Amino acid sequence: MSEKKVGLLEGFKAFLTRGNVIDLAVAVVIGAAFTNVVNAVVKGVINPLVGAFGTQDLEKYRSCLQGPCAVDPETGKALGIEILWGAVLSSVLSFVITGAVVYFLMVLPMAKYLARRAAAQAAKEGVQETLEVSELEVLKEIRDALVAQRGPAA
């Protein structure tokens, strides 16, 4: 039974030390920190820009589905059924900005780098293939010269 535990622990250790898991953990941590930055940009820049046309805060945009759109002063709760479309809009903007920054600052440069690396590797393989072909041609010429020196076969 101890062999299974050791094997299980070794398998778990191998899983954790694989490069993909470590990369994923780093991505999650960086993504969480980056989300805070994007939320700050939306609240500090986008909301005031939208506020130039209306309310300073996107989250204050709402519509009433039913009943009065008023807040009970005693409880602080809405009296009617509200649709908080401003909060949804703010979250969508955060998502779009996050996606755009990740794509343009991380995915696109990495794709270009990998394409350049693949092209360089292909060029290197092409040079290696050319060298192999030229070596083969030289060996054929040497063979032909040796055959010509020996003269016709007896």
Side-chain angles (χ1 to χ4, degrees), residues 58-72:
L58 275 178
E59 302 202 4
K60 293 189 181 194
Y61 285 106
R62 56 188 71 192
S63 298
C64 275
L65 186 62
Q66 180 181 2
C69 269
V71 176
D72 186 8

Side-chain angles (χ1 to χ4, degrees), residues 63-141:
S63 298
C64 275
L65 186 62
Q66 180 181 2
C69 269
V71 176
D72 186 8
E74 295 175 9
T75 61
K77 292 186 178 181
L79 297 176
I81 298 174
E82 293 182 319
I83 297 177
L84 305 173
W85 61 270
V88 173
L89 181 62
S90 179
S91 295
V92 168
L93 284 173
S94 294
F95 175 76
V96 168
I97 291 170
T98 302
V101 169
V102 166
Y103 179 75
F104 290 114
L105 294 182
M106 295 177 194
V107 174
L108 192 62
M110 182 58 79
K112 287 183 179 182
Y113 167 74
L114 291 175
R116 276 187 276 147
R117 198 167 122 193
Q121 183 68 24
K124 184 178 178 183
E125 288 174 1
V127 168
Q128 183 68 25
E129 186 176 309
T130 303
L131 288 175
E132 289 174 4
V133 169
S134 63
E135 287 177 7
L136 185 61
E137 292 297 323
V138 169
L139 288 173
K140 284 180 182 178
E141 289 176 11

Side-chain angles (χ1 to χ4, degrees), residues 137-150:
E137 292 297 323
V138 169
L139 288 173
K140 284 180 182 178
E141 289 176 11
I142 292 172
R143 179 199 65 203
D144 293 342
L146 288 173
V147 168
Q149 283 180 355
R150 271 198 277 173

